[in-house]
Every structure is written in structure tokens, then in C-alpha cells.
Amino acid sequence: MTVSASASRTAVSRTAVSRTAVSRIAVAGGIALSSVALLSGTAFAHVSVQPQGEAAKGGYATVNIKVPNERDNASTVKVEVNFPTDHPLASVMPQPVPGWKAEVTKAKLAKPLELHGKKINEAVAKVTWTADGSKIGPGQFQQFPLSLGQLPEDTDQLVLKAIQTYDNNEVVRWIEESKEGAAEPQNPAPVLKLSAATDDHHGGGAKADDKAEDKAEDKAGHGKASHTEAAGSHAGSGSSGSDTTARVLGVIGILVGIAGVAFGVLAGRRRSA
């Protein structure tokens, strides 16, 4: 009895220690998750540029300038996005956004661009959205769509420096360029990553067309396969029917043979009698 009681106390003690360890692990895990969530929230709070589909070199692309409001006591009333002069874009068209007025500013180029066989002497320097009946309030964000082209072929990215203005006259400049191997700056500039050039220089549109063609070919192939399977099914049905008939005739022949043998045996016995 003494040994049994001691063993019971040891088991209870081990269970208590295990529960304590599990509790500590759970608390540590919760703190870690909270830290990750906090850091993620901070990282995603920056002004950013997000391509809608593919942004291929030498092609055209549609992108969204995503602007979150980072202040609890002020609203965003103005957003300015600047385009690089070393890789100028001849065409930048903003999509209308309700409650906002868009203005496109162009600048003269030191070296003209050639686009569709024509020389372009100026390129878009910046696009400015000003609140016109709307604002980006605390805890909200707004997307500003842009059509860009023709994208340069001699770079892997475009740095689009942005300036965000609040209704309390505070200005935040998202203009710091990130450096490889270094920590992310406090106010990083939005960066548009460019993918490899496509053959037709239409960016994501070519990919969509290819997918449509593939679907059409798959559908046609599926139709042919269905007809082939149907023909095979009919042929199989015919073969199955022939096999069944042959089997029935074979069974009937065997029965007839057995009947003949039996008849011969009976006839022999009668003659003997």
C-alpha cells in the first residue's frame, strides 16, 4: 500500500509538471504569434503598388496604388505618385475613383522615346489624387488603379516614390529605397517588380489568351475523345452481343449432343431386352 501511494504521488507530480510546461509553451506561442501579427500589420501599412496580373518587360500592365491610413486622428486627403526619370513611361492613365480628382503631370525628356514607330518627347512625371468629396479615414485604405506602358525592358523593377498628405497638414514621404541585405527603411518607396518579357508585349493579356486557347483545345480534344469512346462502346456492345450468341449456341449444341447420347443408350437397352 505504501509503494502504491508513493507511485500515485509521483504520477500526480509529473502530471502537474507537464501541465505547467504546456501552459508555459502556450503562453510563449501566444506571445510569438502576437509579435508576428504586430510586425505584419506594421509592414502592410505602407503605401504599395500591386500589379493586377502580370507586369512584363516591354508590355503594358494595370496596377493598384494601395494607400492605407496610418493615423488614428487624421484622414488622408492627397496622394502623389512619382515615376522614375531614368526609365520613363509614355503612357500612364488613371482609372476614375469616386470622390477623388486625378491629375497627370508630364515632363520633357532629355532623350526621346520611340513607341509604336513614333518619337515621344515627354513622359509622365507624376499622378496626383486629391480628395473631392471623399477621404481615407482612420482604419481604412483606398486603391488607385493605373494603366502603365510601355514598361521598360532594361530593368527588373520600377521605384514609384509616393507622398501622402493628411487633413491635419502632416506629410509622409514614402521615398526611401530598400537596399539588398539591409533592414527595411521606415518609409519605403513602393516598388513594381517586372517579369520576363512576353513575345507579343501585351503582359497579362497574352497569358489570358493562351489560357483561352488551351481551354478551347482541351474542349475539342475532350469532344473527340468522347466520340472515340462512344464508338468503342458501340463496338464493344456488338462484340459482347456476338460472344453471348456464340455461347448460347454452344450450350444448345452440348444439350443436343447429350440428348442424342441418352437416346442411343436407351435404344440399345430396349434392343437387348
Side-chain angles (χ1 to χ4, degrees):
M1 295 295 292
T2 305
V3 173
S4 178
S6 177
S8 299
R9 293 194 192 95
T10 302
V12 171
S13 177
R14 289 178 178 176
T15 302
V17 171
S18 299
R19 290 178 178 175
T20 302
V22 170
S23 299
R24 290 177 178 176
I25 292 173
V27 171
I31 294 173
L33 289 175
S34 300
S35 300
V36 171
L38 180 61
L39 292 175
S40 299
T42 303
F44 287 119
H46 303 328
V47 174
S48 60
V49 54
Q50 302 172 342
Q52 303 305 296
E54 188 176 9
K57 298 177 182 179
Y60 293 79
T62 299
V63 303
N64 282 336
I65 305 298
K66 185 177 181 181
V67 183
N69 193 89
E70 293 189 318
R71 300 295 179 263
D72 296 330
N73 56 354
S75 298
T76 300
V77 293
K78 185 178 179 181
V79 178
E80 177 183 310
V81 175
N82 296 271
F83 294 86
T85 56
D86 54 343
H87 298 293
L89 299 177
S91 175
V92 177
M93 294 186 294
Q95 180 177 325
V97 177
W100 294 83
K101 179 181 178 181
E103 181 181 0
V104 179
T105 303
K106 295 186 177 183
K108 292 289 184 179
L109 295 175
K111 182 180 179 181
L113 291 175
E114 187 171 343
L115 183 64
H116 301 303
K118 297 181 180 180
K119 288 188 176 181
I120 308 298
N121 296 316
E122 60 181 11
V124 175
K126 66 179 179 179
V127 177
T128 305
W129 289 271
T130 305
D132 187 19
S134 181
K135 296 180 180 181
I136 307 175
Q140 299 177 346
F141 75 93
Q142 177 65 53
Q143 296 190 115
F144 299 94
L146 287 173
S147 174
L148 308 179
Q150 185 174 0
L151 298 176
E153 300 183 32
D154 56 348
T155 184
D156 294 328
Q157 65 181 27
L158 291 177
V159 179
L160 310 180
K161 297 182 179 182
I163 300 176
Q164 182 177 10
T165 304
Y166 290 88
D167 55 6
N168 61 355
N169 295 325
E170 179 185 1
V171 177
V172 180
R173 302 179 183 276
W174 304 97
I175 60 174
E176 300 177 32
E177 297 188 33
S178 301
K179 296 181 179 180
E180 187 176 356
E184 184 183 47
Q186 184 176 358
N187 296 319
V191 176
L192 175 62
K193 299 289 185 179
L194 303 181
S195 59
T198 57
D199 294 336
D200 58 359
H201 298 293
H202 284 85
K207 190 173 182 181
D209 293 341
D210 292 340
K211 287 183 178 179
E213 291 178 2
D214 291 341
K215 288 182 179 179
E217 291 176 359
D218 291 343
K219 187 175 181 181
H222 180 69
K224 292 180 181 178
S226 299
H227 288 305
T228 304
E229 290 174 0
S233 178
H234 287 305
S237 299
S239 300
S240 178
S242 300
D243 292 342
T244 302
T245 303
R247 289 174 183 174
V248 171
L249 292 176
V251 171
I252 293 173
I254 292 171
L255 292 176
V256 171
I258 293 172
V261 172
F263 180 77
V265 172
L266 290 174
R269 288 181 180 178
R270 287 177 182 176
R271 289 174 185 173
S272 297

